[in-house]
Amino acid sequence: MNMIKKLGIAVLLLAMAVAFAGCGGSNSGEERQTADRTEVKVFAAASMQSSLEELEKTFEAEHPDVDILLNCDSSGTLMTQIEEGAPCDVFFSAAQKQMDELEEKDLIQADSRQNVLNNQLVVITRPDSGTAVTGLENLRDAGSIALADGSVPVGKYTRQALINLGILPEVEDPAGITTQQVSDALGGVEISEQGNVSKVLTAVEEGSSEVGTVYLSDTCGHEDGVKIIEKVPYDVTGDIIYPIALISNPDADDAEKEAAAVVLEWFTNDEAKALYDKYLFDTNVE
């Protein structure tokens, strides 16, 4: 086989390897990007992931020229990423605090901001755990607890509820209460600190923690793996409002900005709200 023919085969094999590599991961922005599709980068609270993935599919089916790239994590983590310059077009937060901070820094388009959902804090365990815990008031009876840290909205709401119940002391910002301080207030109970609400759910569902606090919406589809012990009243936690807004993304071109506005409208229309209801969110929000 002459040298030219060998070189041609090598080039062909390299091209095939690149093509197959491009089929490996559907969630990577670089792999999914094509010249004829406009990318919209959406940062959303971890508790929104299942519902937004469903909305993403229906949106892209009707808008084949737009590619939604979802980044789901703790709202506090996402806020920090945006503050540090991560490219983002739409932010869907699980709390007002993170959106407020971005607005104060002129990082959101204020006229696009709207409140979309309310949620409810719940205490969960495995159906077969046999726990003595009946709710937040006797959380100290748990053998172990999965708890999000204070920068995570569900962790902050849990701390606020424990303050309102007289278990934790009054402070200016409940988010600043450390996991160790929560443990001390509960008599030294073992607490596994988690980085977002999905990780709390997993810790309880897998049995590594006896109880945990998540949102009501997080239990949707997990009825066989977790049992709700208590739905914490709003007068203990306050409303758990989810705002959405367009981010002032300096790297976005006109097409991306236009597509982002269309995505935001899709995530807040009547069809989306019907889906959120299915996932146990409360869409009756002013």
Side-chain angles (χ1 to χ4, degrees):
M1 186 180 295
N2 61 41
M3 183 63 65
I4 294 177
K5 190 170 182 181
K6 288 181 179 178
L7 181 60
I9 293 173
V11 170
L12 177 60
L13 290 174
L14 178 60
M16 291 175 63
V18 170
F20 280 118
C23 299
S26 61
N27 291 326
S28 167
E30 291 182 0
E31 292 171 357
R32 295 173 61 186
Q33 188 173 9
T34 58
D36 58 348
R37 299 187 76 189
T38 300
E39 289 185 349
V40 175
K41 301 170 184 67
V42 177
F43 285 21
S47 52
M48 296 295 304
Q49 184 162 352
S50 296
S51 56
L52 293 188
E53 285 177 346
E54 193 166 336
L55 286 172
E56 176 188 11
K57 291 177 183 178
T58 57
F59 178 89
E60 291 182 353
E62 293 194 22
H63 301 80
D65 56 334
V66 178
D67 186 12
I68 295 177
L69 303 181
L70 277 177
N71 175 24
C72 296
D73 207 328
S74 156
S75 298
T77 297
L78 298 174
M79 178 194 70
T80 299
Q81 291 174 0
I82 294 169
E83 289 174 332
E84 293 177 348
C88 173
D89 302 300
V90 179
F91 181 40
F92 208 152
S93 175
Q96 301 276 27
K97 177 183 177 182
Q98 286 75 20
M99 194 70 79
D100 289 343
E101 184 167 328
L102 292 179
E103 186 169 7
E104 288 170 4
K105 296 181 178 181
D106 295 323
L107 292 175
I108 73 166
Q109 297 180 31
D111 60 351
S112 70
R113 178 175 177 173
Q114 53 187 296
N115 295 332
V116 185
L117 306 169
N118 201 349
N119 214 335
Q120 189 168 15
L121 187 73
V122 295
V123 183
I124 60 169
T125 190
R126 280 187 54 83
D128 58 355
S129 72
T131 183
V133 176
T134 57
L136 289 181
E137 292 195 9
N138 71 329
L139 205 54
R140 64 173 57 243
D141 293 336
S144 58
I145 301 170
L147 178 67
D149 69 74
S151 70
V152 181
V154 72
K156 179 182 177 182
Y157 287 120
T158 300
R159 287 161 171 79
Q160 183 62 64
L162 293 173
I163 289 171
N164 292 338
L165 292 171
I167 296 171
L168 287 174
E170 289 279 353
V171 293
E172 184 175 347
D173 183 7
I177 299 175
T178 67
T179 298
Q180 185 59 53
Q181 288 172 321
V182 177
S183 175
D184 293 342
L186 295 173
V189 63
E190 175 190 334
I191 297 181
S192 173
E193 183 179 285
Q194 303 296 330
N196 61 49
V197 70
S198 299
K199 292 179 179 178
V200 175
L201 179 71
T202 298
V204 175
E205 193 166 26
E206 292 180 348
S208 58
S209 294
E210 184 178 311
V211 299
T213 57
V214 298
Y215 297 125
L216 177 61
S217 64
D218 294 303
T219 66
C220 182
H222 294 268
E223 292 81 5
D224 292 339
V226 297
K227 176 179 70 174
I228 295 173
I229 301 172
E230 178 189 27
K231 294 181 180 179
V232 183
Y234 287 125
D235 59 4
V236 176
T237 60
D239 285 332
I240 301 175
I241 300 297
Y242 285 53
I244 192 172
L246 296 174
I247 295 297
S248 300
N249 182 1
D251 298 323
D253 59 28
D254 289 343
E256 290 167 335
K257 291 177 182 177
E258 183 179 341
V262 175
V263 169
L264 184 143
E265 191 281 329
W266 187 268
F267 284 174
T268 58
N269 64 20
D270 289 342
E271 180 181 345
K273 290 179 179 178
L275 180 65
Y276 298 142
D277 285 333
K278 186 183 82 170
Y279 279 93
L280 306 181
F281 289 99
D282 178 4
T283 56
N284 186 22
V285 178
E286 295 183 1

